[in-house]
Amino acid sequence: SQSGSVDMVIGFDNSASMKSRELGRSRHEIAVNAVRDFLNSKSLKPGDRITLVVFGRIAIWKMPFSEDLDDFQRKLGEISHPDVYQDESQLLTDLSGVLNYIPKCLDKDSFFQTVARRYDVSWPNNNQIAFIFSDGDDQEQSSLDDAIREFQKRNIRVYPVAIGSPGKSKFKV
């Protein structure tokens, strides 16, 4: 960002369809490598913070915003697929769900910021962006309108990163 530090949300699709290997490697491996390549590109500057939201049918905030890229990489490395799926949380994808969940994570960070300032603890007030790594195989197919309006209201840009081969994914960029 040319206008200061950035808080970056990485939304990572961990649904079963990310195991697909139509590109020689799994979509999951391709997405992990793309995130790691980005981190290794030195695009993040001092003061920038990153967080990880993993999603399938449900979204989970894996870590608060942090400048600790090693911790982020450890959390990214923990994302996996079981040999046998035991519930639907990883079987399906809900893109609307994750896009509605991310602002809630940002609200938690804002709450932390408010409490920190009350005790004279400095807390960054960074610009915010989100990258969503997904194959776009969205079984829920809920409307994205509310989520899009919320991101627009907050002036947060969302960058979808489509993983998969043409025609295999429903995600349209």
Side-chain angles (χ1 to χ4, degrees):
S1 171
Q2 296 178 0
S3 59
S5 297
V6 174
D7 282 346
M8 180 183 307
V9 177
I10 300 292
F12 194 95
D13 185 346
N14 194 33
S15 64
S17 61
M18 291 293 283
K19 286 179 73 170
S20 175
R21 301 182 76 80
E22 89 268 2
L23 299 172
R25 296 180 296 159
S26 73
R27 295 171 180 177
H28 176 95
E29 292 172 88
I30 292 168
V32 166
N33 288 336
V35 173
R36 286 192 171 137
D37 287 348
F38 173 76
L39 295 176
N40 292 331
S41 74
K42 307 293 184 207
S43 295
L44 293 176
K45 306 295 181 216
D48 291 346
R49 301 183 312 159
I50 192 166
T51 190
L52 179 62
V53 175
V54 178
F55 67 97
R57 183 141 192 279
I58 61 169
I60 301 167
W61 193 21
K62 298 301 271 186
M63 64 180 285
F65 282 102
S66 176
E67 292 182 48
D68 187 343
L69 297 183
D70 291 332
D71 186 35
F72 178 88
Q73 294 230 36
R74 276 190 297 279
K75 298 282 192 239
L76 183 66
E78 292 171 1
I79 302 170
S80 65
H81 292 271
D83 292 331
V84 177
Y85 291 93
Q86 307 225 353
D87 62 51
E88 66 187 37
S89 66
Q90 234 179 320
L91 282 176
L92 306 174
T93 304
D94 183 0
L95 289 172
S96 174
V98 71
L99 290 174
N100 281 299
Y101 181 72
I102 288 172
K104 294 174 184 171
C105 298
L106 300 175
D107 289 344
K108 286 180 189 177
D109 188 68
S110 294
F111 173 75
F112 299 154
Q113 180 183 56
T114 301
V115 172
R117 287 189 175 148
R118 188 178 309 148
Y119 296 101
D120 290 329
V121 175
S122 65
W123 199 271
N125 191 17
N126 295 344
N127 298 306
Q128 298 172 327
I129 60 174
F131 287 86
I132 307 298
F133 289 80
S134 177
D135 61 7
D137 192 6
D138 183 5
Q139 291 81 15
E140 295 297 318
Q141 298 182 357
S142 300
S143 172
L144 300 174
D145 293 344
D146 290 340
I148 290 169
R149 275 192 294 278
E150 188 63 28
F151 279 92
Q152 288 173 336
K153 182 175 89 175
R154 294 170 183 245
N155 197 29
I156 301 170
R157 294 192 183 263
V158 178
Y159 299 93
V161 181
I163 309 293
S165 58
K168 297 279 185 178
S169 175
K170 298 174 189 171
F171 200 40
K172 303 296 181 220
V173 181

